[in-house]
Amino acid sequence: MRIRVSQFIDFAYGDKRKDKSKAKSIIDDLELPYDPAKDRYKQFREAMASYEDKAISDQQFLALHTKVAPNKSSGYRVLSQNYLDLKEDHALIWQGRSPIEANIAGLQITTAWYLRTEANNQRRIIFLHFGKEQLPRKKERGLLTVLRMAQPDSAGVGILNIQPGTLITATRLNQEEAEYLHERAEKFLLIAQDLRSAE
């Protein structure tokens, strides 16, 4: 079973008295089709990949905002500049578009778009998060835990919250929290199996 990271975190930190209904709502949400009209950052992600593949120049990447709808233009203009500035400021190295698979007790979690930096001979992964708002602290902690499970060889894991308003990196993890999320993943799978067998 594959669910979005945000859905799993909602379950993991949700109301423990309503586990069954929470798991059911997550499973039901999986039936919703992809809606490109709601994918606000699709053009930016594609342009970023083209830029990193050397298919477009710095100038073309920075001019992306002139080729999108007016309601996206100002945000895209800031995003492009912020991305280049942050890569330079933190010596980030592009690592491609391959998805990262996190397997937690059989629960597959996927994210993508990551960069890395070398510091003190340690590998540190920084994942990109596209969103209109900064991740809530609780969800950010949970996502860091999930990503650490996906990349156990990383000395540190970070989230780059990339949006017009903020650029934030978060690093390091809490082992107790990682263990807690692992237990919640196992519980989710048991509930999901019970729900499906009851159908």
Side-chain angles (χ1 to χ4, degrees):
M1 178 184 302
R2 179 172 294 173
I3 64 170
R4 293 194 300 273
V5 171
S6 58
Q7 291 176 313
F8 171 69
I9 300 303
D10 286 342
F11 170 80
Y13 291 103
D15 188 340
K16 309 305 180 297
R17 295 168 298 178
K18 300 178 180 177
D19 280 346
K20 188 171 182 178
S21 61
K22 174 65 74 173
K24 189 174 189 305
S25 70
I26 289 173
I27 293 170
D28 291 343
D29 284 346
L30 292 177
E31 305 305 319
L32 296 175
Y34 168 71
D35 184 357
K38 295 180 179 178
D39 193 347
R40 181 177 179 81
Y41 296 100
K42 182 173 186 290
Q43 289 165 287
F44 183 79
R45 292 197 305 271
E46 290 175 346
M48 190 177 74
S50 295
Y51 170 73
E52 294 292 358
D53 288 340
K54 312 299 184 192
I56 62 174
S57 66
D58 286 34
Q59 291 74 23
Q60 289 172 306
F61 183 58
L62 290 171
L64 175 64
H65 69 280
T66 64
K67 299 177 175 63
V68 299
N71 65 330
K72 296 180 182 178
S73 180
S74 61
Y76 272 45
R77 179 176 54 81
V78 179
L79 276 172
S80 297
Q81 187 62 60
N82 281 354
Y83 178 69
L84 295 183
D85 290 347
L86 188 124
K87 275 194 71 179
E88 182 178 355
D89 292 346
H90 294 273
L92 298 179
I93 304 166
W94 173 249
Q95 288 288 281
R97 290 162 284 172
S98 300
I100 301 302
E101 298 283 346
N103 189 316
I104 306 175
L107 182 66
Q108 293 292 324
I109 297 177
T110 307
T111 187
W113 304 93
Y114 72 105
L115 303 99
R116 70 178 172 86
T117 183
E118 300 289 350
N120 302 322
N121 294 321
Q122 293 182 325
R123 188 164 183 251
R124 176 165 166 255
I125 307 296
I126 298 178
F127 294 84
L128 298 186
H129 163 68
F130 296 91
K132 295 180 181 178
E133 300 176 359
Q134 180 182 341
L135 281 172
R137 189 66 185 147
K138 181 171 66 176
K139 188 170 290 186
E140 185 178 79
R141 291 201 314 269
L143 184 53
L144 283 170
T145 303
V146 168
L147 294 179
R148 198 279 302 276
M149 291 177 174
Q151 291 287 333
D153 61 327
S154 175
V157 179
I159 297 172
L160 169 56
N161 199 45
I162 183 166
Q163 55 186 303
T166 58
L167 280 169
I168 296 169
T169 55
T171 59
R172 297 299 177 184
L173 300 170
N174 183 305
Q175 183 59 35
E176 290 182 2
E177 193 156 31
E179 292 171 356
Y180 165 77
L181 284 178
H182 196 125
E183 293 172 1
R184 292 292 291 167
E186 292 176 339
K187 184 164 188 178
F188 179 90
L189 284 177
L190 289 173
I191 293 172
Q193 288 164 1
D194 287 345
L195 287 169
R196 288 188 162 171
S197 61
E199 291 178 353

